[in-house]
Amino acid sequence: MRILRVPTDFRVVEQFDEAMLSRQGEHLVYSVSSRGLNTAESAARLADAAGVPMDSVSYAGQKPKEGVAGQVFSVHGGEPISMRGFEFVARRIGVADRPVQASDITGNAYEIVVRDLQGDDMRRLRHNMAQVRDGGLPSYFDDQRFGCLRHGQGYILRNVLRGRFDLVLQAVIAAPSPYGAEMVERYKAQIRENWGDWRRLVSISNGRRGKSAFEHLLANEGDFLGALRVGVASRERTMHLYAYQSHLFNRALASKVRQLVDGENLAWLPCDEGSLPVWRELSATDLARLAEAKLMLPGPGMENDPETVRLYAPIFESEGITMEQFCSLDIPGFRPIAEERPVLMQPEYLRAAPAQDDEYYPRSRKMRVRFTLPRGQYPNLVLKRLLMPTESDSRRLCMWISRHPLVWPKDDGTPQVFDRVPLEERRSQRAKGSYDKRDGNHRSFKRPGEGDDRRPARDDRGGERRPARDDRGGGRDRSNPWGRPKRDDRGDDRRPPRQDDRRPPRQDDRRPPRQDDRRSGPSKDRPSPWGKRD
């Protein structure tokens, strides 16, 4: 199962409230469609075309780089523009007396293509879709909120609360990421190797990320908090604050869900920050109660709500901090704000188009899923809920989101990870016959002598899965009952033919072709089969 295989597999369009438009105003409002661009890059293109600074461009929300996005921007001043290209289209829709704000967006409409589906995947999707329509799902924050975990930085707020700003700065600037570009990761490795030698780091950075922080530390030894303010943008620091707030919120909402459902009605979804409990079905009474319920993100004022304190108290204790310590944070970029968030997520207009053949994955199918969500909720969370196992003790499932694999947790919520076996190790173990291709899309290494209590994987015709081909794309295993193996699978018992075994060509075979043998036309010495020419 895969999503975000190509940019057109993910489409999102903001639902804009046109009540903010007016007859007159200094802000020009544009509808922008972008492909392969994030929101900041789209805003930069608008600013450049209108001839205004970036501060004059406003937008309502962030959209990912992967996919096609329809957004609303406003530009203060500048020349009216109209742009049309392959990856960027801008069309003016009106004027306003104020910039676009997040409150002007009522929701987002999504159209997502799910690829590499087999028969059971499509059955699960249809089954879970009926449950989501009736009972919704918890309104967690999803992986897009936890980029700091995916890129190896972790929750830097933990070290901020402990006063370890040296570790905070090093994590933000030099943490290794499995998804980073090779050149960027080499630069990060140089920073880690020379950490503390600020003069050396100033010369290495040479205008790259972190130079201002290193120059500040060279002039003010030990002032890591000042270096953090100078070298890391306030917006980036705030994103790390939001990530930690979202982590605390997810833990509190998970505790509330665990108190509501249990047993076979409890299921789990994968997430970078830990397994998330969800319900399969919900009674009408519980659904009505959750539809009105809200949970507060941690921040000043949360201590006035007894239910919020009851849910968050054990979470703060497990984090090793106090509620007062977190709420009293007063560092630029790290000032938490309490905000209420709905507990229940109910996708509207949820539907799926009939399955089609997948042009990227042979013998697989694809389905196009459409739905609408309120602002601030996450579409990938809906897809995880639609594709999760429908019964306990099911086979291991994995879903790829672009290059990132997610494996569904076990029945007790224990997270599972995708085992990345190096290519050379896979080849050597495959040659020894000890490499096993797991169910679905998940591959892992099976050590010699290790038992296998999993159910056998099945192909799309219901039979046992055929043995995989070798690394060079040759024939199947020697035990393959479905066809004759090719030469590169037969082993070393077939010697290559010797030179003296090859029959030399006869002398007659090497004569040059005669003129009348050529197909360019009839020969002068031989009459044409088509008769005499006029």
Side-chain angles (χ1 to χ4, degrees):
M1 299 177 292
R2 296 175 184 265
I3 62 175
L4 294 177
R5 173 61 175 79
V6 292
T8 54
D9 283 352
F10 184 92
R11 298 177 183 270
V12 53
V13 178
E14 289 180 342
Q15 295 181 321
F16 175 61
D17 185 5
E18 297 184 356
M20 64 98 52
L21 299 178
S22 60
R23 293 181 179 271
Q24 297 179 350
E26 298 180 351
H27 298 265
L28 300 181
V29 183
Y30 293 92
S31 173
V32 174
S33 176
S34 61
R35 173 176 176 174
L37 301 173
N38 58 29
T39 302
E41 293 170 339
S42 298
R45 292 203 177 191
L46 275 179
D48 184 65
V52 297
M54 276 287 294
D55 296 341
S56 300
V57 181
S58 302
Y59 46 87
Q62 295 282 350
K63 295 295 181 289
K65 189 181 186 72
E66 302 87 358
V68 179
Q71 290 184 260
V72 176
F73 290 80
S74 65
V75 180
H76 182 247
E79 296 293 331
I81 60 175
S82 178
M83 304 175 65
R84 178 171 294 274
F86 174 72
E87 61 180 15
F88 189 83
V89 177
R91 178 178 59 89
R92 193 175 73 170
I93 59 177
V95 297
D97 55 2
R98 62 172 178 82
V100 170
Q101 302 173 357
S103 58
D104 297 323
I105 304 302
T106 59
N108 295 279
Y110 297 94
E111 180 179 283
I112 304 175
V113 178
V114 187
R115 296 187 178 273
D116 199 12
L117 295 174
Q118 303 297 326
D120 191 56
D121 299 330
M122 293 178 283
R123 179 199 62 81
R124 288 199 321 275
L125 192 149
R126 296 290 187 186
H127 176 85
N128 290 327
M129 184 176 293
Q131 293 182 341
V132 173
R133 283 175 181 153
D134 294 338
L137 66 156
S139 180
Y140 293 113
F141 290 96
D142 200 30
D143 299 319
Q144 295 95 314
R145 196 78 161 189
F146 305 108
C148 58
L149 301 181
R150 186 169 296 185
H151 294 283
Q153 297 168 325
Y155 295 122
I156 67 171
L157 257 292
R158 290 171 173 167
N159 285 321
V160 169
L161 292 167
R162 299 185 184 107
R164 294 299 308 272
F165 298 106
D166 55 335
L167 299 179
V168 173
L169 182 65
Q170 187 176 20
V172 171
I173 295 179
S177 169
Y179 302 98
E182 182 179 357
M183 184 180 299
V184 175
E185 294 307 312
R186 285 202 303 265
Y187 174 58
K188 291 181 182 179
Q190 287 181 310
I191 295 177
R192 294 192 298 271
E193 292 171 2
N194 297 278
W195 188 259
D197 187 353
W198 311 124
R199 190 175 303 278
R200 170 66 173 163
L201 289 177
V202 169
S203 62
I204 289 175
S205 57
N206 192 23
R208 304 173 73 178
R209 175 177 168 84
K211 182 176 182 179
S212 57
F214 303 144
E215 290 177 339
H216 181 87
L217 288 170
L218 182 61
N220 305 273
E221 182 67 30
D223 185 13
F224 290 98
L225 178 57
L228 190 65
R229 292 176 177 175
V230 172
V232 181
S234 177
R235 185 179 184 86
E236 184 175 353
R237 282 176 268 151
T238 304
M239 289 178 63
H240 284 280
L241 169 66
Y242 289 162
Y244 191 61
Q245 270 188 306
S246 303
H247 162 69
L248 298 176
F249 177 90
N250 278 5
R251 295 302 99 196
L253 182 54
S255 176
K256 190 178 185 69
V257 173
R258 292 294 305 273
Q259 297 172 9
L260 184 65
V261 295
D262 57 3
E264 294 183 355
N265 198 27
L266 180 66
W268 299 86
L269 301 182
C271 184
D272 287 343
E273 68 109 15
S275 303
L276 303 176
V278 296
W279 54 78
R280 298 185 185 276
E281 296 179 339
L282 206 61
S283 65
T285 303
D286 292 335
L287 181 62
R289 186 168 67 251
L290 290 181
E292 303 295 331
K294 293 186 177 181
L295 182 61
M296 187 178 298
L297 271 76
M302 63 179 299
E303 63 276 3
N304 299 327
D305 185 2
E307 176 66 13
T308 302
V309 173
R310 182 185 68 83
L311 289 173
Y312 277 104
I315 298 170
F316 278 114
E317 183 178 357
S318 64
E319 292 285 325
I321 58 176
T322 63
M323 188 179 302
E324 294 76 16
Q325 186 180 1
F326 178 81
C327 295
S328 61
L329 266 176
D330 191 17
I331 300 174
F334 297 128
R335 295 189 178 100
I337 298 176
E339 181 183 353
E340 287 188 336
R341 179 179 175 86
V343 171
L344 184 66
M345 176 193 300
Q346 287 186 299
E348 296 181 346
Y349 312 110
L350 178 60
R351 59 202 184 278
Q356 298 175 327
D357 291 336
D358 194 332
E359 65 272 23
Y360 288 97
Y361 300 97
R363 301 175 63 186
S364 296
R365 308 279 279 174
K366 67 177 182 181
M367 293 184 71
R368 193 177 302 272
V369 182
R370 299 183 180 95
F371 54 88
T372 300
L373 291 176
R375 177 174 55 89
Q377 297 184 350
Y378 295 85
N380 288 353
L381 191 68
V382 177
L383 292 178
K384 293 176 186 178
R385 175 62 180 87
L386 295 178
L387 295 169
M388 77 175 190
T390 56
E391 54 189 13
S392 59
D393 196 23
S394 61
R395 67 183 180 91
R396 198 176 197 186
L397 294 178
C398 176
M399 180 174 70
W400 288 80
I401 302 178
S402 187
R403 298 178 297 162
H404 185 64
L406 285 174
V407 185
W408 263 258
K410 296 182 179 179
D411 292 338
D412 58 356
T414 304
Q416 299 190 83
V417 297
F418 185 87
D419 301 327
R420 294 183 179 273
V421 182
L423 178 60
E424 294 301 326
E425 185 177 352
R426 292 204 305 267
R427 287 178 175 174
S428 62
Q429 296 300 331
R430 190 180 284 118
K432 297 177 182 178
S434 55
Y435 181 80
D436 177 43
K437 185 176 180 180
R438 294 271 181 169
D439 300 345
N441 298 314
H442 185 64
R443 293 187 177 185
S444 63
F445 172 69
K446 184 175 70 174
R447 294 171 176 79
E450 180 182 358
D452 191 358
D453 54 354
R454 297 176 291 104
R455 293 186 297 179
R458 296 180 177 273
D459 63 8
D460 54 2
R461 297 180 298 175
E464 302 296 328
R465 188 181 295 277
R466 299 179 180 182
R469 292 179 181 269
D470 66 355
D471 294 330
R472 294 169 292 179
R476 302 185 185 278
D477 201 287
R478 295 190 65 182
S479 61
N480 178 17
W482 293 283
R484 181 180 179 183
K486 293 185 178 180
R487 182 180 301 278
D488 51 5
D489 286 328
R490 295 181 182 179
D492 299 332
D493 55 338
R494 294 181 60 87
R495 64 174 178 85
R498 295 182 302 178
Q499 185 67 26
D500 55 356
D501 290 343
R502 301 170 184 169
R503 182 180 68 85
R506 295 175 56 186
Q507 187 68 21
D508 296 340
D509 296 338
R510 295 200 295 266
R511 64 177 177 84
R514 295 184 304 173
Q515 182 67 24
D516 56 353
D517 289 340
R518 299 172 183 170
R519 297 185 179 181
S520 59
S523 173
K524 294 181 180 180
D525 301 332
R526 188 176 61 184
S528 171
W530 307 107
K532 184 179 179 179
R533 295 185 177 180
D534 295 333

